[in-house]
Amino acid sequence: MDLKTASALRRLRLVSAPEAVSFLLLLVCSVLKRTTDFNAVPVMGMVHGVLFVLYLILWAFAWYRTKWSLKTAALYFVLSVLPAGGFFADRKLRRESEDAVIASHAQREGVVKVS
């Protein structure tokens, strides 16, 4: 993998945790709306919607750059629609991007040759 691919993974990783937090906060706001007079659903809904759309755009770009299999791409998509899935996606993407950077440096230094 080249550094552009690692960068695409890093950008997706950077938005996955905030997207997960916004989803959880939206769920809390939904419960509070029904149990109290507090209604932050419109605001949190907008924040979560923007982060979710950003996640999907970055997910599609990362899929394009990394040439993930359909199974891997579907896993990252499913993690985006689960309330805490963004945290798991963040962890997996961190490992994958670190591996990509290490492979890129090794290839550039001539330690590993790509056929």
Side-chain angles (χ1 to χ4, degrees):
M1 274 188 219
D2 60 356
L3 289 178
K4 288 184 180 182
T5 303
S7 175
L9 290 174
R10 187 166 193 276
R11 283 191 300 265
L12 180 60
R13 184 177 80 80
L14 289 175
V15 78
S16 65
E19 190 271 336
V21 169
S22 72
F23 194 3
L24 293 173
L25 287 174
L26 180 60
L27 292 175
V28 169
C29 288
S30 295
V31 170
L32 289 174
K33 176 184 175 183
R34 284 162 178 73
T35 59
T36 66
D37 291 335
F38 183 74
N39 185 11
V41 172
V43 174
M44 279 313 302
M46 178 63 79
V47 169
H48 174 66
V50 168
L51 287 171
F52 182 71
V53 168
L54 183 60
Y55 181 93
L56 289 181
I57 291 168
L58 294 174
W59 167 78
F61 186 68
W63 185 8
Y64 170 76
R65 292 292 306 172
T66 60
K67 310 288 190 247
W68 283 329
S69 67
L70 184 60
K71 180 181 174 184
T72 303
L75 171 69
Y76 285 119
F77 178 78
V78 168
L79 287 175
S80 75
V81 296
L82 296 175
F87 299 119
F88 296 108
D90 177 51
R91 193 169 23 186
K92 287 183 67 62
L93 288 165
R94 182 174 2 137
R95 285 189 209 127
E96 195 170 337
S97 65
E98 287 171 356
D99 291 346
V101 169
I102 291 169
S104 175
H105 288 299
Q107 181 182 357
R108 192 173 346 127
E109 293 175 7
V111 176
V112 176
K113 294 186 179 186
V114 177
S115 53

